[in-house]
Amino acid sequence: LSVLLISILFILLAANIEYSELMLIYNWKALLLFGAVMLIVRPLGVFLSSINSGLKWNEKIFISWVGPRGIVAAGIASLFGLKLVREGVEGAE
């Protein structure tokens, strides 16, 4: 059930993105940032936080590549933000 709800969450978030907003981040700087986070920052965070954890090298690499890292909380916060904007709460945008 949780996998289904999380999947629906990301579909709802993607439905709220306009094409013009998406094109604002379509440049080499965004690609460089994405590459740095995926290939350097995230693996470094996983390896540092799992010192003395008993995880094997390949398990740490797997977690670095696919492990969720707060994206569900960020997605839920985004949905609440959208609801607050619809309700007219000042500063919610």
Side-chain angles (χ1 to χ4, degrees), residues 2 5 11 14 17 24 30 32 36 40 49 59 66-68 78 80-81 87:
S2 65
L5 292 174
I11 292 169
I17 297 175
L24 292 175
L32 184 64
I40 299 169
S49 64
E59 293 170 336
V66 298
S78 178
F80 281 120
E87 295 290 326

Side-chain angles (χ1 to χ4, degrees), residues 8-19 21 79 82 86:
I8 291 171
L9 167 72
F10 290 114
I11 292 169
L12 291 173
L13 288 174
N16 289 312
I17 297 175
E18 294 184 22
Y19 185 73
E21 294 171 344
L79 282 181
L82 291 171
R86 281 190 217 122

Side-chain angles (χ1 to χ4, degrees), residues 25-59:
I25 63 165
Y26 187 64
N27 58 37
W28 67 271
K29 292 177 185 176
L31 183 64
L32 184 64
L33 177 64
F34 176 76
V37 168
M38 289 300 294
L39 299 174
I40 299 169
V41 176
R42 187 169 171 157
L44 183 62
V46 169
F47 278 85
L48 289 176
S49 64
S50 61
I51 293 174
N52 296 326
S53 67
L55 291 174
K56 298 176 186 172
W57 178 263
N58 58 350
E59 293 170 336

